[in-house]
Amino acid sequence: MTTATVALIGDRSPSVQAHTRIPALLAALHERDGLTLDAYWIPTTDAGDLAGFDAIWMLPGSPYRSEAGAVNAARTAREHGIPFLGTCGGFQHTMLEYARNVLDLAVAHAENDPDAEDFLLVPLECSLAGHEDEVRLTPGSLAERIVGAERTMERYSCNFGLNAAYLPRLEAGGLRFTGRDGAGAVRILELPDHPFFLATLFQPELAGDGTRPHPIIAAFAAAAVAHAARVPVS
């Protein structure tokens, strides 16, 4: 049985519900799906060298201690073809990384740098913290294929989202937004031509009681194991 090494990027805290779900989710992935992940918690302050992992999962829990570490995690996965999942704050910092390093935009996250001049991530008009809402998935997208339906109800715990003024530039620059709420606000992003690169504003870690991994988490784990199986161990 192939074991995949996975970097869990986030500043681990018992007050973050998604973090407390991780041990049960890892056990369920092994027992229910036959997917074995050797997971390493890595604080954002230590997320400098991640290229040797089979997968990178950027977890909720922002504001992160190190914006640079979070951005580097997304960049490493993007540039090295490493399976990647970003959730909540991971979704936000994935867009920040792409805007800065691919599109060369001098933009900031309002939660991290409230005195900046130009914001990619801004406070939501209505906080989603503690809310559940429908997400509409793009037919034929990776997200839709994973979920197996064009609509899904998901749980949130966030107060920041994309500045809609930047949506056209991100889309023109190569990001694909494949999940939106009823008003059209983006909730899922994918990176075409990457083995597995998916980020969600909602938190799939919070689905159910934690004993049955969300399909997105199971698909990410499967991608991690597939990556481990085809990468020689030195």
Side-chain angles (χ1 to χ4, degrees):
M1 179 180 294
T2 300
T3 298
T5 58
V6 178
L8 303 177
I9 306 301
D11 305 312
R12 192 174 187 179
S13 170
S15 66
V16 178
Q17 187 180 7
H19 293 186
T20 66
R21 287 286 188 96
I22 294 300
L25 289 172
L26 294 174
L29 287 166
H30 176 71
E31 295 165 7
R32 297 178 61 90
D33 302 301
L35 299 168
T36 303
L37 305 184
D38 186 11
Y40 295 81
W41 279 93
I42 300 178
T44 54
T45 50
D46 296 334
D49 184 11
L50 305 173
F53 285 93
D54 295 311
I56 296 171
W57 185 352
M58 197 186 326
L59 293 160
S62 61
Y64 299 126
R65 292 177 193 155
S66 171
E67 177 185 275
V71 167
N72 181 68
R75 181 172 190 169
T76 301
R78 177 178 60 80
E79 293 184 341
H80 291 268
I82 299 171
F84 175 82
L85 177 62
T87 53
C88 195
F91 174 87
Q92 297 162 14
H93 286 74
T94 298
M95 288 191 291
L96 191 64
E97 188 279 322
Y98 200 87
R100 288 177 175 172
N101 296 322
V102 178
L103 304 181
D104 199 27
L105 299 175
V107 289
H109 191 317
E111 185 177 35
N112 303 335
D113 190 4
D115 297 322
E117 295 183 0
D118 202 2
F119 298 107
L120 182 73
L121 287 310
V122 294
L124 296 168
E125 291 185 8
C126 296
S127 171
L128 288 171
H131 286 248
E132 186 175 88
D133 196 13
E134 182 180 78
V135 180
R136 300 178 182 181
L137 308 178
T138 301
S141 65
L142 174 62
E144 191 265 346
R145 295 197 305 271
I146 290 171
V147 173
E150 292 185 8
R151 299 187 179 193
T152 178
M153 291 296 296
E154 302 293 347
R155 294 176 63 185
Y156 294 83
S157 183
C158 62
N159 296 305
F160 291 83
L162 175 65
N163 178 350
Y166 279 102
L167 179 57
R169 297 182 73 174
L170 291 173
E171 289 183 312
L175 280 185
R176 188 180 183 205
F177 293 95
T178 60
R180 299 172 185 257
D181 70 2
V186 297
R187 299 293 182 250
I188 302 175
L189 69 81
E190 302 176 13
L191 185 61
D193 302 322
H194 188 284
F196 188 101
F197 195 99
L198 189 69
T200 69
L201 187 61
F202 57 84
Q203 295 189 10
E205 299 90 348
L206 303 184
D209 62 1
T211 61
R212 184 186 295 270
H214 190 289
I216 286 176
I217 294 175
F220 166 72
V225 171
H227 184 271
R230 63 174 178 264
V231 175
V233 177
S234 58

